[in-house]
Amino acid sequence: MWINRIIGSFFGIRKKTDLNKDLNDLSLKKVIALFLILNILFIGIVLIITKLFI
């Protein structure tokens, strides 16, 4: 659930105080998980786009 709150905060859906609270609760494991998830999503999107148009 914390990933949804952080992503929602970047899109301006939540308040700034909620983002500060979520960022204060981050740990190293959560940062690594977020990094891996974002990288996998990016690579997946790139692969899908390249397979569709090439």
Side-chain angles (χ1 to χ4, degrees):
M1 289 290 138
W2 56 273
I3 293 174
N4 292 334
R5 290 194 305 253
I6 291 172
I7 292 172
S9 297
F10 289 135
F11 289 122
I13 298 171
R14 295 174 51 92
K15 297 179 183 176
K16 185 177 180 180
T17 56
D18 294 335
L19 176 62
N20 287 335
K21 186 187 304 181
D22 289 337
L23 290 177
N24 287 336
D25 292 336
L26 282 180
S27 65
L28 183 60
K29 289 180 183 179
K30 289 181 180 179
V31 170
I32 292 171
L34 182 63
F35 177 76
L36 290 174
I37 290 170
L38 290 175
N39 279 327
I40 291 169
L41 285 173
F42 177 74
I43 291 169
I45 290 170
V46 169
L47 288 175
I48 290 171
I49 290 173
T50 55
K51 286 187 184 230
L52 287 175
F53 294 111
I54 295 179

